[in-house]
Amino acid sequence: MQRFLLDTHTLLWWLADSEQLGNRCREVIGDQRNQVFVSAATTWEISIKMSLGKLAAPEDIDSIVADEGFSKLPISLYHGQLAGHLPAIHRDPFDRMLIAQAQAEGLILLTADEMIAQYQLRVKNPRK
């Protein structure tokens, strides 16, 4: 069993059955032996982008995450502290939170964002 955290774009690709999501990643996410997490930061980011008209996505991500069998990852004070102390490689606050959560919880972050790989964490590219 492995434990993964989905970056926002990875979750959206999964939900849309996008061709951008590689076959190996589909297998990893779909494997019931793995534990797949979705962060509260992801739903926050999706909601903001939807309200600004920058993203079309399902309205009820909370229910969809549960229906997909994914685990919900809340944001703790510790996660916030870690995110604030990360080196300034990446400026996006949502990505910084995902990095901190992956580090704190020992999760593999499924992301295509190459900047994230510069941090000390395990990353897999979902396009592969």
Side-chain angles (χ1 to χ4, degrees):
M1 176 182 96
Q2 292 184 300
R3 301 170 70 231
F4 297 92
L5 176 59
L6 302 183
D7 197 342
T8 304
H9 59 268
T10 307
L11 173 65
L12 293 172
W13 292 348
W14 172 264
L15 296 178
D17 197 24
S18 171
E19 292 180 7
Q20 294 190 67
L21 198 61
N23 289 333
R24 179 67 185 119
C25 188
R26 286 179 197 281
E27 291 172 10
V28 164
I29 294 172
D31 187 338
Q32 296 299 313
R33 294 173 294 183
N34 292 327
Q35 189 171 15
V36 178
F37 290 86
V38 175
S39 171
T42 292
T43 58
W44 180 21
E45 181 179 17
I46 290 170
S47 296
I48 288 174
K49 288 183 177 179
M50 286 176 65
S51 70
L52 295 173
K54 294 183 176 184
L55 178 67
E59 287 290 331
D60 192 8
I61 295 293
D62 186 76
S63 294
I64 292 169
V65 165
D67 291 345
E68 292 291 326
F70 300 153
S71 299
K72 299 172 189 177
L73 182 60
I75 297 171
S76 71
L77 294 176
Y78 181 65
H79 295 150
Q81 183 177 7
L82 282 178
H85 288 294
L86 287 172
I89 298 166
H90 208 307
R91 296 204 177 275
D92 183 286
F94 301 109
D95 287 330
R96 291 175 63 84
M97 180 54 67
L98 294 178
I99 292 162
Q101 288 182 303
Q103 288 177 335
E105 306 302 327
L107 305 173
I108 301 167
L109 184 56
L110 293 175
T111 182
D113 187 333
E114 294 178 6
M115 289 179 65
I116 290 176
Q118 296 177 49
Y119 289 92
Q120 294 180 340
L121 73 157
R122 295 179 302 159
V123 175
K124 287 194 184 219
N125 189 325
R127 290 188 170 132
K128 297 179 180 178

